[in-house]
Amino acid sequence: MEKENVGHSNFLDWHENLIIVLKQVNKEHVLESQVPEEPPFVPKAAHDSWLKHVDDSLDVSCLMLSTMILDLHRDLELFTAFDMIKDLN
């Protein structure tokens, strides 16, 4: 991921490398589903699961932004990881 920033012409290569990195750290799920709304008054385990998804999404979003050209970074900096991939596709 450090070798090349995603730009307008190399998305597919970047995306493939991103998936490899995320699989290694068990965070590829954030590209597959939107972060749900915070669940109201659920058991601690359910809340902890939601919180992990939120934290994973933030980690992946930061990784993605750090490997983008500045134009894309500016356009997508407020997006979640899921929304970034959706927009880039």
Side-chain angles (χ1 to χ4, degrees):
M1 296 296 299
E2 294 175 5
K3 289 188 259 180
E4 189 173 335
N5 288 345
V6 68
H8 300 288
S9 62
N10 65 337
F11 171 75
L12 294 177
D13 292 339
W14 174 85
H15 186 256
E16 186 174 317
N17 287 329
L18 177 65
I19 296 297
I20 291 167
V21 169
L22 296 181
K23 280 184 180 182
Q24 194 274 326
V25 295
N26 288 329
K27 293 186 180 188
E28 71 273 13
H29 63 95
V30 301
L31 299 182
E32 299 165 357
S33 64
Q34 184 68 267
V35 176
E37 294 292 322
E38 182 174 8
F41 308 108
V42 294
K44 182 175 178 354
H47 188 267
D48 289 349
S49 177
W50 169 81
L51 193 55
K52 182 180 179 335
H53 196 134
V54 170
D55 290 343
D56 288 350
S57 181
L58 179 60
D59 290 346
V60 173
S61 297
C62 290
L63 171 66
M64 292 170 68
L65 288 171
S66 72
T67 60
M68 291 181 180
I69 62 171
L70 194 53
D71 289 347
L72 289 175
H73 182 275
R74 287 181 183 143
D75 290 343
L76 301 173
E77 67 185 333
L78 300 178
F79 285 36
T80 65
F82 176 81
D83 290 330
M84 282 185 215
I85 285 297
K86 188 175 158 187
D87 190 71
L88 290 168
N89 274 323

